[in-house]
PDB file of all heavy atoms in Angstrom:
ATOM      1  N   CYS A 155       1.212   8.678  -1.995  1.00  0.00           N
ATOM      2  CA  CYS A 155       2.139   9.787  -2.248  1.00  0.00           C
ATOM      3  C   CYS A 155       1.398  11.108  -2.208  1.00  0.00           C
ATOM      4  O   CYS A 155       0.921  11.591  -3.235  1.00  0.00           O
ATOM      5  CB  CYS A 155       2.817   9.621  -3.596  1.00  0.00           C
ATOM      6  SG  CYS A 155       3.760   8.119  -3.753  1.00  0.00           S
ATOM      7  N   CYS A 169       4.455   7.338   1.457  1.00  0.00           N
ATOM      8  CA  CYS A 169       4.013   6.586   2.624  1.00  0.00           C
ATOM      9  C   CYS A 169       3.869   5.117   2.218  1.00  0.00           C
ATOM     10  O   CYS A 169       3.270   4.824   1.192  1.00  0.00           O
ATOM     11  CB  CYS A 169       2.671   7.111   3.120  1.00  0.00           C
ATOM     12  SG  CYS A 169       2.636   8.886   3.397  1.00  0.00           S
ATOM     13  N   ALA A 176       6.880  12.558   9.086  1.00  0.00           N
ATOM     14  CA  ALA A 176       6.140  13.677   9.670  1.00  0.00           C
ATOM     15  C   ALA A 176       6.070  14.872   8.736  1.00  0.00           C
ATOM     16  O   ALA A 176       5.115  15.631   8.773  1.00  0.00           O
ATOM     17  CB  ALA A 176       6.787  14.085  10.988  1.00  0.00           C
ATOM     18  N   TYR A 203       6.868   6.387 -20.929  1.00  0.00           N
ATOM     19  CA  TYR A 203       5.874   5.669 -20.132  1.00  0.00           C
ATOM     20  C   TYR A 203       6.517   4.831 -19.042  1.00  0.00           C
ATOM     21  O   TYR A 203       7.574   4.249 -19.228  1.00  0.00           O
ATOM     22  CB  TYR A 203       5.023   4.762 -21.025  1.00  0.00           C
ATOM     23  CG  TYR A 203       4.070   5.525 -21.899  1.00  0.00           C
ATOM     24  CD1 TYR A 203       4.340   5.731 -23.246  1.00  0.00           C
ATOM     25  CD2 TYR A 203       2.909   6.058 -21.379  1.00  0.00           C
ATOM     26  CE1 TYR A 203       3.462   6.448 -24.048  1.00  0.00           C
ATOM     27  CE2 TYR A 203       2.030   6.774 -22.159  1.00  0.00           C
ATOM     28  CZ  TYR A 203       2.315   6.959 -23.496  1.00  0.00           C
ATOM     29  OH  TYR A 203       1.457   7.676 -24.268  1.00  0.00           O
ATOM     30  N   LYS A 212      -6.268   6.729  -6.893  1.00  0.00           N
ATOM     31  CA  LYS A 212      -7.238   7.737  -6.447  1.00  0.00           C
ATOM     32  C   LYS A 212      -6.559   9.099  -6.404  1.00  0.00           C
ATOM     33  O   LYS A 212      -5.404   9.208  -6.000  1.00  0.00           O
ATOM     34  CB  LYS A 212      -7.762   7.406  -5.052  1.00  0.00           C
ATOM     35  CG  LYS A 212      -8.521   6.099  -4.983  1.00  0.00           C
ATOM     36  CD  LYS A 212      -8.980   5.833  -3.565  1.00  0.00           C
ATOM     37  CE  LYS A 212      -9.702   4.504  -3.475  1.00  0.00           C
ATOM     38  NZ  LYS A 212     -10.153   4.220  -2.119  1.00  0.00           N
TER      39      LYS A 212
END
Side-chain angles (χ1 to χ4, degrees):
C155 300
C169 308
Y203 288 102
K212 297 179 182 180

